[in-house]
Amino acid sequence: MYRRFDTTVNKHHIYVDGSQNPLVLPCLFSRYTELQGIKVEIKSYKNRDTNQKEDEFKHTEIGSDASYKICNHLGRFLEWVDSYDESYYVKLSTHTALPQEIINEYINDYLIVECRSSEHVARQAVNALCAYYNWLMYFFDNKYKAIYIKSTHREIARNNNRQEKAVKYLLPQNRQLFYQNTDSLLEELVLRCGGDLGLRTKENQGLLLNDYKANTKVHKGLLNLFNDLELHPNKEEFEYHLSSLYTKYSRSRTLYIPRYLLDKFKLYYDTERPQSDSNHIFVSSSSNNSFGQCISKRFGTDTFAKIRNRLLKEMDDHPERFEGYQEIQLVHVYHHLRHSFGTDIFYNLCRSENKSYESITTTSSVYLTTAVRLGHKVDARSANDVTKEYIHSCGLREKLLRESANEY
């Protein structure tokens, strides 16, 4: 998908797919917004006759700067949708009918958490997508979409305003702090899946007990790998195929589970996991309707936030106990466990190949191997930005290790 601001002929943003076919509705919206300088808003009022709250459409005049930002943010959103090109429902051809949960995932999980966008940028994106989906509702009778910054992400967005203070890399000893302060083996394992396997929080749902078939090939489930633990006592790493059903971009990949972690999986299965018919190893033990069902995709995010807040209080109350540890910040989120895992892989591959991490390019085997391990799209246009992030994080890693050593 491509976008550009046509200043000569159309005088507005143009959006086309990979085959250079125009995306008709986004282009029409852009023409309406940028040439007429109007956006559609929904205003609520109280009907005096019925005493009920009612909604009505309102056309609001906006300036050229505001209309440009709206259409530019719409283009960014469409590019994100296009990155799901292998998903059966999140794609450009169906973007007008996407459920609001997917749109809010873009605002909260992608912009705020992954891109570390500021609250100001996130609000601009909300304004843009509200303008677009309200326009679709007004002219084409589409369903209303409630688009917003979630309460759980507001503080993260505010902290993103000070990006120079945000550290995406967590030292191994800090990751251990998180694991040690969990309330259950389930919570510990879900966090370890981020820090020791590089899983996204949603991908924790992809750890299955039974063998399964994909593309005519049978892949081992965890129960089979538990048998391998006994059959191969000297084996230190076990391969697990993560199905594309549970990954971003619908790209399957191989996980390399260390023996100590697979041992913990088995311990959880034998001692803590509730009785359940679910094929997922991680199931809820809550006493509500979700008992025995697969954990939610937010379980990792929520668990990390709980432990982070607990550690922040402990560090404030007893700073002497945490000498030599990296500072934990409110802006830290579950995704930083995964980023730390990727940084360690990137750094160690550089060392094993006797290369400077500052010299790595997107065509290097170091970058490509790291991308495969993490399930990144190596052909994405943002590949160079991802590489720069890892290079920056490698430098940060060395700095944090030096500072940690000096405090002892």
Side-chain angles (χ1 to χ4, degrees), residues 68-86:
Y68 176 87
K69 287 178 180 177
I70 287 173
C71 295
N72 186 54
H73 274 288
L74 174 60
R76 291 186 63 185
F77 171 69
L78 293 174
E79 288 175 342
W80 178 79
V81 170
D82 193 37
S83 72
Y84 277 84
D85 56 354
E86 294 183 39

Side-chain angles (χ1 to χ4, degrees), residues 167-204:
V167 177
K168 292 181 69 173
Y169 180 80
L170 291 169
L171 287 171
Q173 56 263 44
N174 278 68
R175 283 173 253 169
Q176 288 294 331
L177 264 183
F178 276 87
Y179 307 153
Q180 292 164 5
N181 281 274
T182 52
D183 295 323
S184 65
L185 189 52
L186 171 62
E187 290 184 352
E188 177 189 345
L189 287 175
V190 168
L191 294 189
R192 282 187 179 275
C193 283
D196 297 358
L197 286 181
L199 293 187
R200 300 176 177 93
T201 180
K202 177 185 176 182
E203 292 173 343
N204 286 306

Side-chain angles (χ1 to χ4, degrees), residues 27-228:
C27 288
L28 286 175
F29 167 78
S30 178
R31 188 172 186 83
Y32 175 87
T33 303
E34 297 187 89
L35 294 188
Q36 296 199 38
I38 294 175
K39 74 172 182 176
V40 177
E41 293 184 317
I42 298 177
K43 296 293 184 181
S44 298
Y45 71 97
K46 193 172 186 178
N47 189 312
R48 293 181 180 178
D49 296 328
T50 64
N51 206 32
Q52 299 293 317
K53 191 185 84 167
E54 296 184 7
D55 296 328
E56 67 175 3
F57 290 107
K58 181 180 178 181
H59 296 82
T60 305
E61 292 186 2
I62 56 177
S64 58
D65 183 58
S67 63
Y68 176 87
K69 287 178 180 177
I70 287 173
C71 295
N72 186 54
H73 274 288
L74 174 60
R76 291 186 63 185
F77 171 69
L78 293 174
E79 288 175 342
W80 178 79
V81 170
D82 193 37
S83 72
Y84 277 84
D85 56 354
E86 294 183 39
S87 172
Y88 68 97
Y89 66 90
V90 183
K91 50 190 176 183
L92 288 175
S93 61
T94 60
H95 80 275
T96 59
L98 289 178
Q100 64 187 38
E101 290 79 11
I102 296 296
I103 303 170
N104 285 317
E105 179 185 338
Y106 167 76
I107 298 291
N108 294 276
D109 296 339
Y110 177 71
L111 280 185
I112 294 176
V113 176
E114 290 194 36
C115 297
R116 291 188 296 168
S117 297
S118 67
E119 184 180 16
H120 177 67
V121 170
R123 289 190 183 280
Q124 283 187 347
V126 168
N127 176 58
L129 295 182
C130 283
Y132 179 58
Y133 282 96
N134 288 347
W135 180 84
L136 290 172
M137 185 180 176
Y138 179 75
F139 285 103
F140 300 96
D141 202 28
N142 277 38
K143 287 186 177 181
Y144 170 71
K145 311 290 183 184
I147 305 169
Y148 54 91
I149 299 174
K150 297 177 182 177
S151 59
T152 54
H153 287 66
R154 285 182 197 139
E155 191 64 33
I156 300 172
R158 288 168 189 154
N159 278 281
N160 287 347
N161 296 339
R162 303 182 293 276
Q163 284 198 24
E164 71 279 0
K165 296 182 179 179
V167 177
K168 292 181 69 173
Y169 180 80
L170 291 169
L171 287 171
Q173 56 263 44
N174 278 68
R175 283 173 253 169
Q176 288 294 331
L177 264 183
F178 276 87
Y179 307 153
Q180 292 164 5
N181 281 274
T182 52
D183 295 323
S184 65
L185 189 52
L186 171 62
E187 290 184 352
E188 177 189 345
L189 287 175
V190 168
L191 294 189
R192 282 187 179 275
C193 283
D196 297 358
L197 286 181
L199 293 187
R200 300 176 177 93
T201 180
K202 177 185 176 182
E203 292 173 343
N204 286 306
Q205 297 178 327
L207 297 172
L208 306 177
L209 292 172
N210 298 308
D211 296 355
Y212 70 94
K213 192 173 184 179
N215 297 326
T216 71
K217 185 176 180 180
V218 176
H219 299 283
K220 286 185 177 182
L222 289 173
L223 292 179
N224 208 329
L225 292 184
F226 293 161
N227 292 331
D228 288 349

Side-chain angles (χ1 to χ4, degrees), residues 266-403:
K266 187 175 187 304
L267 179 64
Y268 164 75
Y269 179 77
D270 290 339
T271 63
E272 186 180 296
R273 184 181 186 272
Q275 287 292 326
S276 170
D277 293 331
S278 174
N279 191 32
H280 305 271
I281 187 171
F282 295 146
V283 296
S284 173
S285 56
S286 299
S287 56
N288 54 28
N289 293 335
S290 66
F291 181 85
Q293 297 179 15
C294 179
I295 59 171
S296 72
K297 71 176 184 178
R298 285 197 52 82
F299 187 87
T301 300
D302 295 339
T303 298
F304 184 95
K306 180 181 74 171
I307 307 305
R308 176 200 63 209
N309 295 340
R310 179 182 298 169
L311 287 173
L312 283 172
K313 186 178 186 305
E314 283 288 311
M315 287 180 161
D316 284 342
D317 293 344
H318 307 284
E320 70 282 356
R321 297 180 186 174
F322 300 94
E323 291 182 5
Y325 283 97
Q326 170 192 357
E327 177 190 3
I328 293 176
Q329 301 171 304
L330 191 61
V331 73
H332 282 141
V333 292
Y334 178 92
H335 192 77
H336 292 154
L337 292 172
R338 169 178 155 83
H339 182 80
S340 302
F341 170 81
T343 300
D344 287 346
I345 289 177
F346 190 88
Y347 184 85
N348 291 329
L349 284 171
C350 288
R351 294 194 66 182
S352 66
E353 295 189 17
N354 199 27
K355 293 180 179 178
S356 166
Y357 55 79
E358 295 173 331
S359 69
I360 300 302
T361 66
T362 56
T363 59
S364 167
S365 61
V366 169
Y367 170 74
L368 295 175
T369 301
T370 305
V372 169
R373 288 287 300 271
L374 290 170
H376 285 155
K377 290 181 72 174
V378 296
D379 56 342
R381 285 183 292 170
S382 60
N384 195 45
D385 292 333
V386 175
T387 311
K388 288 177 182 176
E389 276 204 2
Y390 281 130
I391 290 172
H392 172 74
S393 293
C394 284
L396 186 61
R397 179 185 190 274
E398 291 184 336
K399 178 175 178 291
L400 289 170
L401 284 170
R402 286 195 300 271
E403 291 175 352

Side-chain angles (χ1 to χ4, degrees), residues 248-273:
K248 192 173 181 180
Y249 311 123
S250 299
R251 291 170 181 260
S252 61
R253 69 181 188 272
T254 300
L255 304 179
Y256 299 91
I257 306 177
R259 186 178 191 89
Y260 72 85
L261 187 54
L262 190 58
D263 271 326
K264 284 181 175 289
F265 283 162
K266 187 175 187 304
L267 179 64
Y268 164 75
Y269 179 77
D270 290 339
T271 63
E272 186 180 296
R273 184 181 186 272

